[in-house]
């Protein structure tokens, strides 16, 4: 089964009376011709890599450009002081998103989920929740399967996105419909976001956008679990997102020719980077 639409996943869930993650697992087994055990083993490696990246983050390293590094530890220390307005889980999510995205910029080992530029979103929502919920390793792997399935549908119908609240809904025992509503709301919140890396690097403003993606996912998950529904079905939201992306001027498509990259400071950073290369 190809993961072409969320509706197809929901239909199979209902037809076979199985959870979302099981549909994705079966699709992986079929596509890669692997056993259940092999599929789960690969997903476990992914989860362990996320844990390792978080455990080895110190906040002392800077990226080669010098633009990124140290903000994750600042946020962690701020959270520990108990002064954060967000507080608790959300504060930890912000710190983890910064830390993981910084690790990518500093050439550390991370999981591209689904891209290196969005590597902080999934770990940021999943790793901290382990400190607040009694979760088994299997439940966390189930959440990763849910996220993978959502990503596969988005990649097929539109383009890769790091913002999906469905895995959190699944971990909290939400229904398939609630997973869909969470995804729809998370994507609607970020629809039309331009890609404007300064100096062509996935550092500014990309690292801090991981925070927005992660907090967006948490907010969307909570809304869906509370019973808030997206008026637009999730597949239609994904299609609209793809259409918006295709219509976006080329300058805003990761070319460093528009947006923040063309501000005076963005241009100065680019000139400094070019001098370093010379």
């Amino acid at each position: 089964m190809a993961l072409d639409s969320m509706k197809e996943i929901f239909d199979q869930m209902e037809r076979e009376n199985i959870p979302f993650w099981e549909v994705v697992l079966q699709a992986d087994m079929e596509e890669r011709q692997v056993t259940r055990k092999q599929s789960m083993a690969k997903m476990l490696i992914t989860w362990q890599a996320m844990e390792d990246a978080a455990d080895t983050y110190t906040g002392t390293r800077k990226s080669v450009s010098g633009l990124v590094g140290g903000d994750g530890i600042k946020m962690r220390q701020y959270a520990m002081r108990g002064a954060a307005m967000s507080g608790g889980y959300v504060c930890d999510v912000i710190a983890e998103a910064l830390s993981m995205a910084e690790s990518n910029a500093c050439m550390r080992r991370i999981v591209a989920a689904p891209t290196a530029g969005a590597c902080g979103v999934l770990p940021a929502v999943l790793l901290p929740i382990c400190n607040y919920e009694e979760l088994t390793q299997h439940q966390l792997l189930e959440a990763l399967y849910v996220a993978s399935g959502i990503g596969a549908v988005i990649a097929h119908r539109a383009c890769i996105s790091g913002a999906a609240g469905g895995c959190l809904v699944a971990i909290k025992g939400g229904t398939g419909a609630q997973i869909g509503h969470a995804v729809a709301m998370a994507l609607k919140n970020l629809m039309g976001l331009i890609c404007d890396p300064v100096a062509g690097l996935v550092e500014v403003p990309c690292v801090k956008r991981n925070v927005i993606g992660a907090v967006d996912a948490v907010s969307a998950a909570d809304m869906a679990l509370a019973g808030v529904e997206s008026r637009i079905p999730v597949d239609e939201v994904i299609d609209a997102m793809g259409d918006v992306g295709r219509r976006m001027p080329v300058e805003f498509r990761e070319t460093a020719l528009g947006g923040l990259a063309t501000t005076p400071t963005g241009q100065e950073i680019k000139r400094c980077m070019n001098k370093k290369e010379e």
Side-chain angles (χ1 to χ4, degrees):
M1 168 192 172
L3 300 176
D4 295 343
S5 75
M6 295 288 282
K7 184 179 184 304
E8 288 182 14
I9 296 176
F10 298 151
D11 288 347
Q12 186 173 342
M13 289 173 62
E14 185 175 355
R15 186 171 59 251
E16 300 181 19
N17 193 29
I18 57 176
F20 192 112
W21 71 270
E22 180 70 29
V23 176
V24 182
L25 172 61
Q26 290 181 13
D28 181 51
M29 292 166 59
E30 180 182 326
E31 181 180 342
R32 297 196 298 119
Q33 291 296 291
V34 296
T35 65
R36 172 180 290 265
K37 185 176 180 180
Q38 289 171 326
S39 178
M40 296 287 286
K42 183 174 182 180
M43 192 61 83
L44 178 58
I45 292 172
T46 298
W47 173 246
Q48 290 173 335
M50 290 181 180
E51 289 183 307
D52 290 343
D55 290 342
T56 57
Y57 174 82
T58 63
T60 58
R61 297 183 64 167
K62 286 279 187 179
S63 63
V64 174
S65 68
L67 297 174
V68 169
D71 286 340
I73 195 67
K74 290 178 186 175
M75 193 66 206
R76 290 186 183 191
Q77 292 169 344
Y78 177 63
M80 290 175 63
R81 293 199 296 271
M85 289 182 287
S86 52
Y89 171 64
V90 173
C91 196
D92 290 344
V93 166
I94 295 171
E96 197 62 64
L98 285 171
S99 300
M100 199 67 66
E102 282 184 7
S103 292
N104 171 59
C106 294
M107 305 304 290
R108 301 288 296 278
R109 183 170 181 260
I110 51 90
V111 177
T115 65
C119 69
V121 177
L122 262 179
V125 298
L126 292 180
L127 287 166
I129 203 171
C130 297
N131 298 323
Y132 295 86
E133 304 275 348
E134 290 290 335
L135 298 173
T136 66
Q137 188 178 77
H138 198 280
Q139 285 177 296
L140 292 164
L141 297 186
E142 290 173 7
L144 288 178
Y145 275 108
V146 172
S148 299
I150 294 166
V153 173
I154 293 173
H156 175 78
R157 302 181 74 93
C159 59
I160 294 295
S161 168
C167 65
L168 284 176
V169 173
I171 242 179
K172 298 290 285 184
T175 65
Q178 288 175 323
I179 290 174
H181 289 307
V183 174
M185 289 186 285
L187 293 179
K188 285 191 294 185
N189 290 341
L190 297 180
M191 190 177 293
L193 182 66
I194 68 172
C195 190
D196 55 348
V198 174
L201 301 171
V202 188
E203 298 182 23
V204 179
C206 314
V207 169
K208 298 177 183 70
R209 283 182 176 173
N210 276 263
V211 174
I212 300 304
V215 175
D216 179 36
V218 174
S219 303
D222 270 341
M223 285 191 288
L225 290 166
V228 178
E229 299 182 353
S230 172
R231 296 292 184 180
I232 310 298
V234 60
D235 283 326
E236 292 182 28
V237 172
I238 294 171
D239 291 344
M241 183 180 72
D243 184 55
V244 169
R246 287 186 291 272
R247 292 170 180 266
M248 191 174 289
V250 68
E251 291 84 1
F252 300 138
R253 299 185 186 185
E254 203 171 356
T255 61
L257 297 175
L260 295 176
T262 59
T263 62
T265 299
Q267 288 295 298
E268 178 60 27
I269 291 173
K270 184 178 180 180
R271 284 191 291 271
C272 290
M273 294 303 299
N274 289 338
K275 287 181 180 178
K276 283 185 180 181
E277 292 177 0
E278 293 172 0

